[in-house]
Amino acid sequence: MAKPVNAFTCTACGATHRKWAGKCDACGAWNTIIEEAPLSQGPGRGLGTLKGKPVPLSGLATQDAPPPRAQSGIAELDRVLGGGLVPGSAILVGGDPGIGKSTLLLQAAAAFARSGQQAIYISGEEASAQVRMRAQRLGLGDAPVRLGAETALRDILTTLDAERPDVAIIDSIQTLWSDQIEAAPGSVSQVRATAHELVTFAKRRGTAVILVGHVTKEGQIAGPRVVEHMVDTVLYFEGERGHQFRILRAHKNRFGPADEIGVFEMTGGGLSEVANPSALFLSERGEPSPGSAVFAGIEGTRPVLTEVQALVAPSTLASPRRTVVGLDSGRVSTILAVLEARCAIPFAGLDVFLNVAGGMRVAEPAADLAIAAALLSAREDTSLPADCVLFGEISLSGALRPVSQAENRLKEAQKLGFSRAILPSATKGEGLAGMRIDRTPDLTSFVGDTFGAG
Ligand SMILES: Nc1ncnc2c1ncn2[C@@H]1O[C@H](COP(=O)(O)OP(=O)(O)OP(=O)(O)O)[C@@H](O)[C@H]1O
Ligand SMILES: [Mg+2]
Ligand SMILES: [Zn+2]
């Protein structure tokens, strides 16, 4: 019999490789590939005998109404879930260590429990006393949440099966272990197997199961990406250290729109909802200054204004710095190349720093024009008009492409006191009464109109 060969698995994305390598080809992460014992397999029998039983097949028509969603009453959370928690769904909440996952989910558990749902919170990371102390600090001591501290999957499933809660929160998936798997807790095979069991349980019993997963940069612990495909909904809790803003973002949702965000502020008393994120993200804006441009964006179903900030300075380095935070760096490189090739505005010999104020992350291509505007404004040392927002996608030819939901973007801008917008010529709609709209066909015209000869 062939000797079982150990597999090399990436702890960040779960891809398997034939041999060890410093970098994972599948996800590009460094130092994430580890050697793991293969899953034990029975003797291969092939499917030649077809001994299975027939699967009952049905049509697509249904009389069943969609199941009622459970609302937590935390509006920012309910919206990201697509309008509430779907019974029997499996949700993964990923995030960096210490970002506030346990705080968020304890608050969620309390909110679900207070609105009449049976909620169980299983902590594999902290002792019950520790979780109770957090609950005390968050003012949740009286919420009817039932708390357990356990890491053995078998015991957790037995408990959940007996209790049949509406919501079960498992904090975290990386601490669980199944006695069926010979691997350490947190290894790719344990994380996969325990997540699989819990997802199966959710479907079978109609309990909504929420799994917490730590984002790991490298090392022996499997990251949440390893289970992303197994669950119905993937939420990431993001934020920057030193900033009090936290963003809960839907990366995948089988029961609602992806890209929806919920915005929170971390305070001593826990996470509080931010109902008007635009006002928050623009709150640090002072007098108009070079390098600042306001982007009128859409996150999920909601318009959100953010400030793109650029700093451009002469470089002493052979290959100048391109430091980008909160924006796609590939996108920024493309915009720099288009500015150079189509508008003859070189950035060679200049260090470029770009970020989004408030620790927000912006992925929409519609942000291109605001990024270009911030870069040009910083390079020319000229402020953009303070009452102006921008949006539009830049193509490689330098043309500006219209983007969706222009009217929603403009309405939000007007609500926040902006009276002027620069957008692509081909944008549909008339614009809003009382708002000056400057339509521009391409980047070259934009440069000419906004920064003189450029
Ligand atoms: N006594 C306190 N007062 C105010 N804020 C606190 C207090 N204790 C913790 N915090 C805040 O809560 C955050 C940690 O939250 P939490 O434990 O929910 O994070 P986590 O993502 O679950 O972390 P871990 O990776 O350790 O599980 C800290 O970063 C801190 O900002
Ligand atoms: Mg935690
Ligand atoms: Zn990988």
Side-chain angles (χ1 to χ4, degrees):
M1 213 175 92
K3 181 168 150 281
V5 187
N6 278 6
F8 293 88
T9 315
C10 170
T11 55
C13 71
T16 51
H17 301 271
R18 265 169 198 282
K19 56 184 186 358
W20 190 87
K23 185 183 178 192
C24 170
D25 292 337
C27 71
W30 285 90
N31 296 326
T32 53
I33 294 176
I34 55 155
E35 189 170 4
E36 282 201 339
L39 290 182
S40 54
Q41 280 166 339
R45 244 176 301 159
L47 289 172
T49 52
L50 290 182
K51 284 249 185 66
K53 57 178 193 299
V55 176
L57 302 172
S58 68
L60 295 177
T62 177
Q63 304 293 319
D64 301 346
R69 289 171 182 259
Q71 250 105 38
S72 66
I74 304 175
E76 294 296 302
L77 173 65
D78 291 339
R79 189 184 42 254
V80 175
L81 288 169
L85 200 57
V86 174
S89 62
I91 295 143
L92 172 71
V93 178
D96 285 333
I99 202 73
K101 301 177 295 299
S102 303
T103 305
L104 175 72
L105 290 170
L106 192 59
Q107 286 184 251
F112 282 120
R114 281 176 175 161
S115 62
Q117 304 278 311
Q118 271 224 53
I120 291 187
Y121 185 105
I122 305 282
S123 179
E125 311 221 317
E126 295 163 293
S128 296
Q130 230 175 322
V131 180
R132 276 195 294 269
M133 261 158 61
R134 175 179 294 125
Q136 209 63 46
R137 174 165 61 84
L138 302 175
L140 305 173
D142 61 335
V145 174
R146 284 180 307 154
L147 186 62
E150 185 52 69
T151 56
L153 179 70
R154 190 182 286 274
D155 299 344
I156 292 171
L157 284 174
T158 304
T159 312
L160 295 182
D161 205 50
E163 302 287 338
R164 304 277 179 90
D166 299 304
V167 190
I169 292 166
I170 312 290
D171 187 0
S172 68
I173 189 71
Q174 283 117 338
T175 54
L176 300 194
W177 58 277
S178 158
D179 49 22
Q180 308 280 92
I181 305 282
E182 275 184 51
S187 62
V188 172
S189 38
Q190 277 288 6
V191 166
R192 267 200 188 133
T194 50
H196 177 76
E197 290 292 324
L198 285 161
V199 171
T200 310
F201 170 82
K203 306 280 166 231
R204 200 174 65 230
R205 293 297 190 213
T207 292
V209 172
I210 305 181
L211 307 173
V212 174
H214 298 285
V215 171
T216 54
K217 297 280 183 275
E218 57 185 59
Q220 301 288 307
I221 306 283
R225 288 185 60 185
V226 167
V227 297
E228 276 184 353
H229 63 281
M230 290 183 210
V231 296
D232 300 306
T233 302
V234 177
L235 310 180
Y236 275 95
F237 203 38
E238 308 166 345
E240 267 178 56
R241 251 158 236 284
H243 263 294
Q244 70 273 39
F245 314 134
R246 297 284 181 274
I247 291 154
L248 186 65
R249 186 185 293 270
H251 275 239
K252 147 178 168 178
N253 196 348
R254 288 182 183 148
F255 303 113
D259 294 326
E260 196 73 77
I261 63 166
V263 185
F264 298 88
E265 193 175 347
M266 179 64 93
T267 69
L271 293 156
S272 57
E273 296 179 63
V274 174
N276 190 343
S278 301
L280 177 91
F281 292 130
L282 297 181
S283 63
E284 290 170 6
R285 235 170 121 240
E287 292 297 299
S289 60
S292 156
V294 177
F295 167 53
I298 299 281
E299 296 291 338
T301 55
R302 188 162 56 161
V304 176
L305 302 193
T306 43
E307 183 192 0
V308 179
Q309 299 171 332
L311 180 68
V312 173
S315 182
T316 53
L317 302 170
S319 59
R321 255 182 250 276
R322 301 285 181 257
T323 306
V324 179
V325 178
L327 295 162
D328 181 56
S329 52
R331 203 81 213 166
V332 171
S333 303
T334 308
I335 295 168
L336 288 169
V338 173
L339 281 170
E340 177 143 14
R342 308 293 175 199
C343 311
I345 301 177
F347 280 81
L350 297 170
D351 285 333
V352 171
F353 305 87
L354 261 177
N355 77 285
V356 181
M360 175 69 180
R361 218 162 44 73
V362 173
E364 261 196 297
D368 289 356
L369 185 57
I371 296 170
L375 287 167
L376 288 162
S377 159
R379 190 181 183 282
E380 307 299 315
D381 201 27
T382 311
S383 305
L384 291 155
D387 62 344
C388 179
V389 298
L390 306 101
F391 57 86
E393 187 178 338
I394 297 172
S395 72
L396 290 181
S397 68
L400 290 180
R401 289 203 199 112
V403 299
S404 64
Q405 304 198 46
E407 200 176 314
N408 278 341
R409 298 172 198 265
L410 293 173
K411 272 190 195 149
E412 176 79 359
Q414 196 171 48
K415 207 170 84 189
L416 281 132
F418 291 86
S419 53
R420 196 175 152 186
I422 303 177
L423 42 79
S425 295
T427 305
K428 290 200 193 79
E430 293 301 305
L432 302 180
M435 204 165 180
R436 174 177 157 194
I437 308 288
D438 293 338
R439 289 168 184 270
T440 183
D442 52 45
L443 204 49
T444 311
S445 322
F446 169 72
V447 173
D449 294 347
T450 314
F451 299 95

